[in-house]
Amino acid sequence: MENWDEVRTAYQVARMGTVSGAAEVLGVHHATVIRHIEAIEARLGVKLFQRHARGYTPTESGQDLLRVAQATDDQFSQLVGRLKGQGDEVSGELVVTSLSSMSHLLVPVLTEFQQMHPGLVIRYLTGERLFRLEYGEAHVALRAGNAPDQPDNVVQPFARQRIGLFASQSYVDRHGVLEGIDDLKNHQFVGTDNENSRAPFNKWLREHTNEETIIFRCSDGVAMQEAIMAGAGIGFMSTWEASRRPDLVKMMEPREEWEGSLWLVTHVDLHRTNKVQSFLSFLKERSKAWQQ
Amino acid sequence: MENWDEVRTAYQVARMGTVSGAAEVLGVHHATVIRHIEAIEARLGVKLFQRHARGYTPTESGQDLLRVAQATDDQFSQLVGRLKGQGDEVSGELVVTSLSSMSHLLVPVLTEFQQMHPGLVIRYLTGERLFRLEYGEAHVALRAGNAPDQPDNVVQPFARQRIGLFASQSYVDRHGVLEGIDDLKNHQFVGTDNENSRAPFNKWLREHTNEETIIFRCSDGVAMQEAIMAGAGIGFMSTWEASRRPDLVKMMEPREEWEGSLWLVTHVDLHRTNKVQSFLSFLKERSKAWQQ
DNA sequence: CAGGTGATGTGCATTTTTGCGCAGGCGTTG
DNA sequence: CAACGCCTGCGCAAAAATGCACATCACCTG
């Protein structure tokens, strides 16, 4: 059965009982309806209607088609209802991806957003590999660093994270506080394991201290925070994160040159949908607190 | 949801994952597929697919459509199977209509035909009014008299009924046998109540006897036979009917001018179907016995 | 019984849809 | 790193579907 439109035409003829009535319902000329019926009957080799002066009466075959097409029409109507609603309302899945180091920030926001929208399922994907928006693996991505420039993606600057240098009280008890830039070489640091890290604060650290002072190197942001908390050394942390940890001691004021950009990235096809837009505006609202 | 073909196109794209693959399955150019997708998305206001270099990935909406359209495709496939089969095999209903006076002939044939085709339901309609083939009230009609000339009907001569003049033994006991045409006025007859009856034997009777000799007039053929059997008078009866009633006495040899034509009539839309054709050939086979 | 209404069906002009060729991009492979 | 394969996307010409006007027929109505 190719050409589903002819099925739809035959369905309306069977329902109305006349070609003219079906044509009016379908919004086409009655000649078109006649030709559709002739085409589908010729293709199937079965007479669906008996023609007479008062209209078209469905044969047994036509009645069979009527039943099937009626069900199809219902199914499609329901589908359209779901699809149109889905475009406007916030439901189904919302897939967000970011580096795992941002989970502390995102998870509370995602949780609150989900509670605002019953029927919404949050899938928060973090991991080593970048989940790809262009293949539909995620709806929204939070990316750090330079502005991504994938052509099909909508990129908008999200926030600049203020970064400070912190250490735990236990570290201060053992090594004292940091007395300005010149004192850097007398301390030990928690840093990234990646020598090529593009994060501006990492580059700054590599430039202002010896390599040997970075005595604890992590591949993961979360681990870095844990290391700082455990007193392994001085390390960078967003002021927002640090403010939640009263045990930390600020070793150096935040500098602009440390600040990292965060980007919100969505696929162009999904960017206009209400679901994504609601989440983005909600996320921006909540994130104002991060920039203190 | 108007334009079911676009649903079908979107369904294949969702199934294949690429526009090109869908185009090949559908047997159309890939540009057509792209245009269909753009059209249905614009109409619904919902993105069904995310475009990327490797193909089209269905969104949640697209997956919803995929499920619905998959079910539709299955339903249509089954429908086509039924319809194509229905055209060839003898099943469903077979609606036959005739004057009630022919039920003695038709009922045994219909019964045997039904037993040859399990799954076939026979509807044998008799009655005063003519059931109309052109509205689908019946598949096959057995008509007597002049050739029907409805334009949409397929009419074929079926049989000529040999008609004889018969009376019951009880009538003969009282009035004796008929001694040729000149003796007609000395007998009494069972005839039709309709003065304008076009049946040739009725016209012949009106021409060759006085009106007053027709002392028992019926509107119905079955009643006429009953009247003859009861000895009410001499009457016309098909030789086939008379042969089943040994009590009857032949009063006059069949004459060609009495013979009535029987016509098989089918609607042109149903005439080609195997169901109708099988019945017609079976009916012709069985009816050879009637013409003895 | 004659006129009106509403249905089907057909030839022709028009509009819409489709096909074709080619450009451009991404990923893989040797 | 270059060549290849496979995909999308677009402009233009051809083809197909559609709309229109009109003819015809059956049935109803006054």
Side-chain angles (χ1 to χ4, degrees), chain B residues 18-20 30 34 56 132 135:
Chain B
T18 65
V19 168
S20 305
H30 72 269
I34 292 178
Y56 277 38
R132 308 190 67 160
Y135 290 2

Side-chain angles (χ1 to χ4, degrees), chain A residues 1-25:
Chain A
M1 173 77 71
E2 50 201 40
N3 211 332
W4 288 7
D5 271 340
E6 288 173 359
V7 180
R8 178 165 174 260
T9 302
Y11 158 57
Q12 287 296 347
V13 173
R15 207 166 68 92
M16 297 284 108
T18 65
V19 169
S20 305
E24 190 174 2
V25 172

Side-chain angles (χ1 to χ4, degrees), chain B residues 75-124:
Chain B
Q75 288 295 310
F76 283 3
S77 297
Q78 294 179 27
L79 174 67
V80 170
R82 289 199 300 275
L83 293 187
K84 292 219 174 185
Q86 207 165 45
D88 294 337
E89 87 183 280
V90 181
S91 63
E93 286 188 345
L94 176 67
V95 188
V96 182
T97 182
S98 77
L99 293 178
S100 54
S101 61
M102 325 203 82
S103 62
H104 295 99
L105 298 171
L106 273 177
V107 166
V109 177
L110 290 169
T111 303
E112 190 177 356
F113 188 70
Q114 194 285 327
Q115 287 164 358
M116 288 168 57
H117 299 99
L120 182 70
V121 174
I122 302 282
R123 293 179 57 204
Y124 178 45

Side-chain angles (χ1 to χ4, degrees), chain A residues 30-280:
Chain A
H30 73 268
T32 303
V33 174
I34 291 177
R35 289 186 275 246
H36 277 190
I37 300 300
E38 287 173 349
I40 192 174
E41 286 186 340
R43 188 171 312 142
L44 293 173
V46 175
K47 284 287 170 187
L48 296 174
F49 302 94
Q50 291 190 61
R51 294 122 169 92
H52 51 82
R54 298 295 300 272
Y56 276 38
T57 300
T59 63
E60 301 163 41
S61 299
Q63 290 169 17
D64 196 355
L65 181 142
L66 173 63
R67 284 188 294 272
V68 173
Q70 176 74 259
T72 299
D73 192 44
D74 292 344
Q75 288 295 310
F76 283 4
S77 296
Q78 293 179 28
L79 174 67
V80 170
R82 288 198 302 274
L83 293 186
K84 291 219 173 183
Q86 206 165 47
D88 295 336
E89 86 184 281
V90 181
S91 63
E93 285 188 344
L94 176 66
V95 188
V96 181
T97 181
S98 78
L99 294 178
S100 54
S101 61
M102 324 200 85
S103 61
H104 295 99
L105 297 171
L106 274 178
V107 166
V109 178
L110 290 170
T111 305
E112 191 177 357
F113 189 70
Q114 195 283 329
Q115 288 164 356
M116 287 169 57
H117 298 98
L120 182 69
V121 174
I122 302 283
R123 293 180 58 204
Y124 179 46
L125 306 177
T126 60
E128 291 310 306
R129 78 185 184 93
L130 251 52
F131 291 91
R132 309 189 67 161
L133 299 182
E134 59 267 33
Y135 290 1
E137 289 182 316
H139 297 153
V140 178
L142 198 58
R143 297 275 155 83
N146 296 328
D149 59 346
Q150 292 280 348
D152 284 343
N153 290 345
V154 176
V155 179
Q156 50 188 324
F158 173 50
R160 294 188 68 81
Q161 271 189 308
R162 303 186 69 196
I163 304 288
L165 260 183
F166 297 90
S168 70
Q169 187 58 50
S170 64
Y171 176 87
V172 175
D173 292 343
R174 284 182 284 129
H175 296 91
V177 297
L178 184 65
E179 307 279 3
I181 292 185
D182 294 336
D183 193 27
L184 283 172
K185 57 182 175 296
N186 303 320
H187 285 268
Q188 53 194 40
F189 296 90
V190 176
T192 179
D193 190 44
N194 183 355
E195 302 242 344
N196 304 317
S197 168
R198 296 163 307 157
F201 53 84
N202 277 329
K203 284 201 281 191
W204 184 90
L205 186 63
R206 285 199 297 271
E207 290 166 2
H208 288 81
T209 70
N210 297 328
E211 195 76 32
E212 299 79 29
T213 61
I214 307 176
I215 51 91
F216 200 109
R217 307 182 183 188
C218 311
S219 61
D220 182 74
V222 177
M224 271 181 60
Q225 292 177 16
E226 296 297 328
I228 296 169
M229 295 294 295
I234 307 172
F236 292 98
M237 195 179 296
S238 73
T239 56
W240 165 254
E241 286 291 332
S243 70
R244 301 197 314 169
R245 295 174 164 78
D247 189 46
L248 285 180
V249 177
K250 183 185 297 178
M251 306 297 273
M252 215 168 177
E253 285 297 324
R255 287 169 166 244
E256 271 203 14
E257 52 195 311
W258 295 345
E259 288 185 3
S261 291
L262 291 182
W263 306 92
L264 276 178
V265 189
T266 58
H267 193 279
V268 65
D269 288 343
L270 297 174
H271 186 256
R272 295 179 204 88
T273 65
N274 192 32
K275 178 162 69 179
V276 168
Q277 280 299 313
S278 326
F279 176 68
L280 290 183

Side-chain angles (χ1 to χ4, degrees), chain B residues 58-271:
Chain B
T59 63
E60 301 163 41
S61 298
Q63 290 170 16
D64 196 354
L65 181 142
L66 173 63
R67 284 188 294 272
V68 173
Q70 176 77 61
T72 298
D73 192 44
D74 293 344
Q75 288 295 310
F76 283 3
S77 297
Q78 294 179 27
L79 174 67
V80 170
R82 289 199 300 275
L83 293 187
K84 292 219 174 185
Q86 207 165 45
D88 294 337
E89 87 183 280
V90 181
S91 63
E93 286 188 345
L94 176 67
V95 188
V96 182
T97 182
S98 77
L99 293 178
S100 54
S101 61
M102 325 203 82
S103 62
H104 295 99
L105 298 171
L106 273 177
V107 166
V109 177
L110 290 169
T111 303
E112 190 177 356
F113 188 70
Q114 194 285 327
Q115 287 164 358
M116 288 168 57
H117 299 99
L120 182 70
V121 174
I122 302 282
R123 293 179 57 204
Y124 178 45
L125 306 177
T126 60
E128 291 310 307
R129 78 186 184 91
L130 251 54
F131 291 92
R132 308 190 67 160
L133 298 181
E134 59 267 33
Y135 290 2
E137 289 182 315
H139 297 152
V140 178
L142 197 58
R143 296 277 155 83
N146 296 328
D149 59 346
Q150 291 282 347
D152 284 345
N153 290 344
V154 176
V155 179
Q156 50 186 325
F158 173 49
R160 294 187 69 82
Q161 270 189 307
R162 302 185 70 196
I163 303 287
L165 259 184
F166 296 90
S168 71
Q169 186 60 49
S170 64
Y171 177 86
V172 174
D173 290 344
R174 282 183 285 128
H175 296 91
V177 298
L178 184 63
E179 308 277 3
I181 292 186
D182 295 335
D183 194 27
L184 285 171
K185 58 181 176 297
N186 303 319
H187 284 267
Q188 53 194 37
F189 295 90
V190 174
T192 179
D193 190 44
N194 184 355
E195 301 240 345
N196 304 318
S197 169
R198 295 163 306 157
F201 52 84
N202 277 328
K203 284 201 279 190
W204 184 90
L205 185 63
R206 284 199 299 271
E207 290 166 2
H208 288 81
T209 71
N210 295 329
E211 196 78 31
E212 298 80 29
T213 60
I214 307 176
I215 51 91
F216 199 108
R217 307 181 182 189
C218 310
S219 61
D220 182 75
V222 176
M224 270 181 62
Q225 292 177 14
E226 295 299 327
I228 296 168
M229 295 296 295
I234 306 172
F236 292 98
M237 195 180 296
S238 72
T239 55
W240 163 255
E241 286 290 330
S243 70
R244 300 197 315 168
R245 294 173 163 81
D247 188 44
L248 286 180
V249 177
K250 183 185 296 179
M251 307 297 274
M252 216 168 178
E253 285 296 325
R255 287 168 165 247
E256 273 204 13
E257 51 194 312
W258 295 343
E259 288 184 1
S261 292
L262 291 181
W263 306 92
L264 276 176
V265 189
T266 58
H267 194 279
V268 64
D269 289 342
L270 297 174
H271 185 255

